[in-house]
Amino acid sequence: MELVPHNTTEGVYAATDDYVHAMEVRGAGRLLFVAGTMGLDPAGKPGAGLEEQLDLIWSNIRAILASADMGVDNIVRLTSYLRDPAYAEANAAARTAALGGRRVPTTAIVATTLDNNWLVEIEAIAAG
């Protein structure tokens, strides 16, 4: 499988340093669509704050990917749902750290979550 980032600046605004406009996936045999994943521990208890929830989210995403014999390097698209726009910077930093600086197409949406204790929810698409 080959991942080819597309980050044109012709006719479109420039992407920031933490994402790309598009990711072309060549030669992938499998796609994995990961449901919105919250910052809950294995017992279903939410992390105490934003940083803990982001750590749990990425731990949960890694576990889900591993169940399909994939890892974070297989992620080709992310969507984050934030309860508060103030969470955007921490979310971007956690994403950048989790992906080891690799940039993928990403969208962040400010939305009400189903439970007030859930601060961030992230869904992913992975290819292998």
Side-chain angles (χ1 to χ4, degrees):
M1 176 181 80
E2 181 183 6
L3 300 177
V4 181
H6 291 274
N7 218 14
T8 186
T9 56
E10 287 189 35
V12 67
Y13 55 89
T16 59
D17 291 341
D18 64 335
Y19 82 100
V20 295
H21 284 302
M23 182 71 68
E24 180 180 351
V25 180
R26 298 178 181 169
R30 302 180 301 137
L31 291 176
L32 180 69
F33 296 84
V34 180
T37 305
M38 285 80 65
L40 308 177
D41 68 15
K45 180 182 175 195
L50 180 60
E51 297 298 326
E52 186 178 347
Q53 286 196 22
L54 287 165
D55 287 344
L56 284 165
I57 287 169
W58 282 102
S59 177
N60 293 337
I61 288 173
R62 282 190 290 276
I64 293 164
L65 292 168
S67 74
D69 294 321
M70 293 185 179
V72 295
D73 288 343
N74 295 97
I75 293 174
V76 297
R77 176 81 172 94
L78 290 166
T79 304
S80 299
Y81 302 90
L82 314 174
R83 268 193 84 66
D84 189 311
Y87 301 162
E89 188 175 328
N91 180 62
R95 179 186 70 247
T96 301
L99 297 179
R102 189 172 64 85
R103 299 181 305 162
V104 300
T106 184
T107 300
I109 300 167
V110 177
T112 302
T113 54
L114 295 177
D115 184 309
N116 288 338
N117 294 313
W118 302 345
L119 304 179
V120 178
E121 185 172 344
I122 298 175
E123 63 183 23
I125 299 173

